[in-house]
Amino acid sequence: MTSQQINFMAPLASPPTPIAGGEVLTPSQWGTLMAIADTIIPSIEVSISPSLNTLGVQASDYNVAIEELRSNNSEVADEELLHRYLSENASSLPGLHDLLRRTIAENLRKDARQGISMILSTLDTRVGCFIATGSTTSFHLQPVHIRQQILHNWGTSYFSPLRQTHKALTSLFKALWVKQSPTLGPTIGFPRIPVHGKLNQDFDYHFIQLPPNISPEVIETDVIIVGSGCGGAVCAKNLAEAGYRVLVAEKAYHYPAKHLPMTEADAGINLYQNGGVFQSDENSIVVVAGQAWGGGGTVNWSASLQTQGFVRKEWSDDGLPYFTSPEFQNSLDRVCERMGVSVQHIEHNKANRILLEGSRKLGYSAKVVPQNTGGTTHYCGYCTTGCPSGEKQGPVVSFLPDAERSGAKFIEGFQAEEVMFEDITGERLATGVKGIWRSRDSHGGVSGHDRTSRRVVIKAKRVIVSAGTLQTPLLLMRSGLKNPQIGRNLHLHPVCHFGAIFPEAIRPWEGGILTSLVDEFQNLDLCGHGAKLEASTMLPSWFLPVKEWNGGLEYKLFCSKLRNMTGFISMARDKDTGRVYPDPVDGQCRISYPVSDFDRKHIVEGILALAKVCHVSGAREIFANIPQLSSFVREVSCEINVDQGINDKGFQLWLAEIRRRGLSSPDAMFASAHQMGTCRMGTSEKNSVVDPQGKVWGIERLYVADASVFPSASGVNPMVTNMAISDGISRGIAKGLRKMERVEERARL
C-alpha cells in the first residue's frame, strides 16, 4: 500500500481533566528535577566551554550528527528543523512540565513521590551530593556533560538504589519528551494522523445525565454491569437482547471518532488507567491497561485469537469441563462472527512480513493472526491511541451499539465504590452498586472546572462486575469480601521489546499492528509454557523509550532512525503469578509481580529467535532491551554477502552474549498489556473467586465477567477468550433470571 496521504479533518482536541492536588514539589526540587530532565534530553550545540544549559560538542561531531539526521530522513528538506531538533531540551517544552506534574501528582504512589522528593532534596545538599555524585557541588549547578557522567555512573553502580533511580528517571524523561517534542515527529516524518486513515460515522450513544443534588440519585434496573470493556459489553448485548433492563456503568468517558486518534500524551490520560502505566512494586514490569468506553477493546491491536486447545484442556483438567465443551466453542464462534473476525482481508506491514518470511527461512512455525475488522482491510497503526475509522469491531462499534438498540442504558464517569448486599434467610444477596458520578463540563469535555458530582445508588436484581483484572478485585475488596483468593493468581504475559534497523525506510507506524505471530517456541517446557513472537506498536512514545539511555546525543540520533525500524516483542505465557491489592494510603491499585526465572528464560529464547529472524531479513542493526547489551551492527561486507546468514561469526558471538547475560538482572525491564486471573474461576472457594458459572462464591446474584476469571494465562491476546467466557456467563444469568421470574409468577398464582 502506498503512503499517499488521505486528507481528512484533524482530530478534535481531547484535553484531560485538571491536574489533581496542589504543588507536588518545592521550587528547589523542581529546579533539580528539570536539571535531570535537561541532562537526559539536553540541548546540543557546538561549544568547547562547559555549560549548565547545553551539551557542548566539537564542530566536527555536530556536523556528523547533522549528516546522520539528514541521511536517516532524506525526505526532510528543512535543514533548520534538524538544528532545532538537536538544540531542543526537555525544560523548553511547557507541555512536558505539565505532563510531568500530572504524573507525579496523580500516577505515582505516595511512597514513590516521597522517594523522588528525598532524592531531589539530597542532590541539593553538599553532603547528599557527595554521597550520590562524588562532588559537593549541587547537581543542578554542574555542567551538562558532568551531569551526564553522573547519570552514567548511577546506571552501572553496584548500589541498587542508584541503578533503580537511573532507570526510573531516564525512562520517565525519554517517554515525556517523545510525547511532547514538537521537532521529533517532523524530523522522522511521523504524521499526526494515519496516512491510510478515514473518519467513521459514529454510533450516537445516549448517556444518563443527572441534575446536581445533595441527595443520592436512585436508579433501578434488572442488571447493573460495572465496566464497558470486552466482558461487560458482551454481557450487556446478551442480557438486553434477552429482554432485561440493563445499565452499563463506566468510569471513563466516550470519545467519538472525531477525537481520534488522540495525541500520545492525551491518550495516556484519557484512554488508559493511571496515565498509561502501572509500575510493579518490584520495579521490574510496567503494566498498561485500558480505561476507556469499550475498555481495552478500544485501544487494542485487533488481534482476535481463539483460546488454544492445550489451554482449554488444562482448564478442563482442573475441573472446568465447560472449556472443552461445544458450548464454549459456540461462544468463541459467536463473538468472532459478530466482529467479523477473519484473515481474508489482511495486508501485512513490513514488520509482520519480516516475521512471516524470516520464520519461513528459518523453518519456524508462524501464522497469520485473525483480525476483528468486519471483513475489511484495516491498514492503520494508530489503534493504540484510538481508531477513527470504525473498521476495528471492538465493543464501541459492535456489542455496545447492539445493547443500546435493545434498550440498554449507559452512564459514563461513574466510579463504583462498592457492591451493596442484603442478608435474606441465611443467604447474602447482591442488590446493586453505589458510587460517584461526575458530569462532563459545560463544553461537553472533562477539562473544565464546572463539572458536578452526584452520589448514585443503583439497585439491581443481578450485579456483574466487569471492571478488568486490575480493578474488579479491588471493588470486591472494597465491598467487604474476604476470600483470600481475591487479587491473587495475577498473570501478565510479560514481554521484552526487541528492535531492528533496516537500510530502507519502513514507516513502521503504518499498517495493521499485529497481523502475524511465531508460535515455534510456545511450548518450551512441554506443558504449554513458552514464548510467542509478535510485532509491536510503533507509535513513537510506545517504542522509543524502551531503548536504554546512553547519553543525550546518542538517544536523539537513535530516535531519528524510527523511520527505518521494526519493533517486536517476545511474550511469555507465564506459569508464575503475582497479585493486585489496594494501596494502604489511597486505595489505588498496587501490583506485585516478580517476573520468575522460569518465565525470563522463555522470553530470552524468544529474543534469540527474533534476532535470527531480523538477521536473515537483512537488518543493518539489531538491539534488545537487555541492560548494558550493545547492539549488533552488521558489517558492510555482510550486507553485500548475506550467504552466511545466522552462521556469521560476529552474529553468533552476539547471540552468545545475549544468552550469557539473559534477563536475570534485577535491572531487566518487562512490560505487559494483558492482565488475567485475579478473580479466577475454579471448583471451590479455596482455589478461586468465582464458580464455573461466574458467580462469586458465597454471594448470590453477584457475578464477574472479564479476564480476571481466567483460570490461568490464556497464552494469546485475551480479548476473544474474555468475550467468549462472558458470553457464556451472561447467557447463564439470563436463564437464571427467567427461572426466577417463573418462580415469582407461580408464587403470585
Side-chain angles (χ1 to χ4, degrees):
M1 187 173 284
T2 67
S3 294
Q4 180 70 33
Q5 176 72 48
I6 296 176
N7 293 313
F8 62 87
M9 186 179 297
L12 297 180
S14 306
T17 57
I19 300 173
E23 283 301 323
V24 293
L25 298 174
T26 67
S28 62
Q29 288 172 339
W30 273 119
T32 301
L33 186 58
M34 297 315 295
I36 293 172
D38 287 344
T39 305
I40 297 166
I41 307 296
S43 174
I44 300 160
E45 296 180 356
V46 175
S47 176
I48 58 173
S49 302
S51 170
L52 297 179
N53 301 314
T54 62
L55 178 64
V57 298
Q58 298 283 345
S60 58
D61 294 332
Y62 185 88
N63 291 334
V64 168
I66 289 291
E67 181 56 35
E68 183 172 339
L69 292 176
R70 191 182 297 118
S71 64
N72 289 340
N73 303 280
S74 58
E75 297 178 15
V76 176
D78 185 357
E79 185 80 10
E80 180 59 29
L81 170 64
L82 305 182
H83 294 281
R84 293 201 310 272
Y85 176 71
L86 289 181
S87 67
E88 179 179 288
N89 62 6
S91 65
S92 67
L93 309 177
L96 185 145
H97 187 278
D98 292 342
L99 191 54
L100 174 61
R101 181 167 171 261
R102 180 185 295 274
T103 300
I104 296 173
E106 297 182 357
N107 307 138
L108 292 185
R109 307 187 305 261
K110 183 177 180 180
D111 60 330
R113 290 197 300 271
Q114 292 172 337
I116 285 179
S117 295
M118 183 186 72
I119 291 168
L120 296 176
S121 295
T122 297
L123 291 174
D124 200 26
T125 66
R126 293 173 61 85
V127 173
C129 263
F130 183 75
I131 294 172
T133 71
S135 169
T136 57
T137 302
S138 292
F139 183 88
H140 71 282
L141 297 178
Q142 294 277 20
V144 174
H145 74 286
I146 297 296
R147 301 202 304 256
Q148 285 208 353
Q149 187 58 53
I150 289 170
L151 288 184
H152 279 301
N153 293 341
W154 289 359
T156 58
S157 172
Y158 289 106
F159 188 46
S160 177
L162 284 181
R163 295 199 312 274
Q164 292 294 320
T165 299
H166 170 273
K167 181 170 71 172
L169 291 173
T170 56
S171 297
L172 173 65
F173 285 113
K174 285 184 297 181
L176 292 177
W177 173 67
V178 172
K179 287 180 178 181
Q180 293 290 342
S181 171
T183 63
L184 175 61
T187 297
I188 62 178
F190 173 71
R192 168 68 181 89
I193 57 178
V195 169
H196 308 287
K198 64 180 182 180
L199 189 62
N200 175 51
Q201 182 64 43
D202 286 302
F203 180 78
D204 185 18
Y205 284 104
H206 299 85
F207 293 95
I208 292 173
Q209 303 298 319
L210 303 175
N213 199 307
I214 59 172
S215 300
E217 177 77 9
V218 179
I219 302 173
E220 294 191 6
T221 187
D222 292 327
V223 182
I224 170 64
I225 302 172
V226 180
S228 65
C230 296
V234 171
C235 292
K237 169 184 166 67
N238 287 345
L239 288 159
E241 289 179 349
Y244 295 103
R245 296 175 300 161
V246 173
L247 175 60
V248 178
E250 170 58 57
K251 181 179 180 181
Y253 296 85
H254 172 49
Y255 290 91
K258 61 187 177 183
H259 289 268
L260 306 175
M262 293 187 187
T263 66
E264 294 172 73
D266 287 345
I269 301 166
N270 292 327
L271 302 179
Y272 292 87
Q273 296 183 40
N274 203 52
V277 171
F278 284 98
Q279 186 87 35
S280 70
D281 291 350
E282 298 79 14
N283 293 317
S284 61
I285 189 166
V286 293
V287 178
V288 179
Q291 183 172 282
W293 179 244
T298 297
V299 292
N300 69 11
W301 304 346
S302 296
S304 302
L305 292 156
Q306 295 199 5
T307 323
Q308 292 174 280
F310 66 87
V311 175
R312 295 168 64 174
K313 183 178 184 299
E314 176 187 302
W315 295 352
S316 179
D317 290 347
D318 283 343
L320 300 168
Y322 167 71
F323 290 108
T324 51
S325 71
E327 289 82 1
F328 183 59
Q329 185 60 52
N330 290 340
S331 289
L332 288 166
D333 292 339
R334 190 159 35 239
V335 298
C336 286
E337 181 180 1
R338 176 59 188 90
M339 295 187 292
V341 172
S342 106
V343 298
Q344 299 305 313
H345 303 275
I346 293 174
E347 182 173 354
H348 300 291
N349 66 4
K350 179 69 173 182
N352 286 282
R353 293 199 303 271
I354 286 171
L355 273 184
L356 291 172
E357 181 62 13
S359 295
R360 185 192 66 79
K361 292 178 179 179
L362 293 163
Y364 295 162
S365 171
K367 62 188 290 186
V368 175
V369 174
Q371 307 284 292
N372 66 333
T373 55
T376 62
T377 298
H378 183 57
Y379 202 76
C380 168
Y382 288 61
C383 288
T384 314
T385 54
C387 181
S389 71
E391 293 165 344
K392 182 175 72 175
Q393 301 292 298
V396 173
V397 181
S398 55
F399 295 99
L400 291 170
D402 289 351
E404 180 165 332
R405 292 185 191 104
S406 294
K409 304 296 183 184
F410 304 137
I411 184 169
E412 59 179 355
F414 178 81
Q415 171 65 52
E417 293 183 328
E418 61 181 279
V419 179
M420 302 182 297
F421 303 101
E422 284 184 3
D423 294 316
I424 300 176
T425 63
E427 287 187 329
R428 198 171 195 206
L429 279 62
T431 59
V433 174
K434 62 181 179 181
I436 301 290
W437 172 77
R438 292 214 67 190
S439 74
R440 290 177 177 264
D441 61 33
S442 55
H443 299 287
V446 296
S447 62
H449 293 274
D450 58 347
R451 299 164 67 205
T452 61
S453 298
R454 183 84 183 270
R455 299 199 67 83
V456 179
V457 174
I458 303 169
K459 297 181 179 180
K461 300 173 183 177
R462 296 291 186 274
V463 176
I464 303 176
V465 182
S466 300
T469 296
L470 302 184
Q471 298 299 333
T472 287
L474 267 61
L475 176 56
L476 298 184
M477 292 179 192
R478 289 197 300 270
S479 304
L481 275 64
K482 302 299 184 183
N483 184 338
Q485 292 293 320
I486 297 174
R488 297 192 176 274
N489 309 299
L490 172 67
H491 289 273
L492 290 178
H493 284 170
V495 310
C496 189
H497 282 86
F498 187 91
I501 303 172
F502 287 79
E504 71 275 15
I506 304 293
R507 297 181 183 87
W509 48 78
E510 294 182 8
I513 299 170
L514 202 174
T515 58
S516 66
L517 64 80
V518 179
D519 56 6
E520 175 77 14
F521 308 93
Q522 68 179 354
N523 191 24
L524 293 172
D525 71 339
L526 303 182
C527 293
H529 299 98
K532 285 186 173 70
L533 316 181
E534 299 177 346
S536 171
T537 180
M538 292 299 287
L539 297 183
S541 71
W542 288 79
F543 185 75
L544 292 175
V546 306
K547 180 68 163 62
E548 188 173 34
W549 182 86
N550 291 305
L553 177 58
E554 184 272 348
Y555 187 66
K556 284 189 176 183
L557 292 177
F558 167 79
C559 291
S560 74
K561 301 174 184 177
L562 181 63
R563 187 185 186 89
N564 290 44
M565 290 185 198
T566 56
F568 305 96
I569 54 175
S570 173
M571 181 185 81
R573 179 178 183 243
D574 43 337
K575 176 182 177 182
D576 298 303
T577 64
R579 70 181 180 111
V580 301
Y581 64 99
D583 186 282
V585 176
D586 59 15
Q588 297 301 308
C589 181
R590 293 279 293 265
I591 299 171
S592 174
Y593 186 92
V595 183
S596 70
D597 290 341
F598 179 89
D599 294 323
R600 289 175 190 241
K601 290 177 181 177
H602 290 170
I603 296 172
V604 169
E605 294 302 317
I607 289 172
L608 292 167
L610 283 170
K612 296 174 184 177
V613 166
C614 291
H615 191 279
V616 300
S617 300
R620 184 178 65 197
E621 181 178 343
I622 306 173
F623 55 93
N625 187 24
I626 296 177
Q628 300 177 40
L629 175 73
S630 299
S631 299
F632 170 79
V633 180
R634 189 190 295 264
E635 296 179 5
V636 174
S637 60
C638 293
E639 292 184 2
I640 298 172
N641 180 4
V642 297
D643 289 344
Q644 286 184 311
I646 62 172
N647 297 320
D648 174 76
K649 183 178 295 185
F651 182 63
Q652 284 295 321
L653 289 173
W654 189 69
L655 294 181
E657 181 66 10
I658 290 178
R659 192 174 291 282
R660 185 187 70 80
R661 288 177 178 270
L663 290 167
S664 59
S665 166
D667 300 323
M669 200 67 204
F670 303 88
S672 164
H674 302 163
Q675 304 91 42
M676 303 153 282
T678 53
C679 294
R680 72 189 301 258
M681 184 179 289
T683 55
S684 78
E685 193 169 1
K686 294 181 179 179
N687 62 18
S688 59
V689 178
V690 302
D691 68 14
Q693 288 72 48
K695 187 178 75 66
V696 175
W697 292 108
I699 309 291
E700 298 301 314
R701 303 181 183 179
L702 175 61
Y703 295 81
V704 174
D706 56 31
S708 72
V709 305
F710 287 16
S712 65
S714 62
V716 296
N717 304 61
M719 176 180 68
V720 170
T721 302
N722 180 358
M723 288 179 167
I725 293 175
S726 299
D727 181 76
I729 289 172
S730 56
R731 289 175 185 277
I733 292 171
K735 290 179 182 178
L737 284 167
R738 287 194 293 271
K739 181 179 179 180
M740 185 180 73
E741 289 170 350
R742 289 194 295 269
V743 170
E744 291 175 347
E745 180 65 23
R746 286 197 296 268
R748 283 195 295 270
L749 295 175

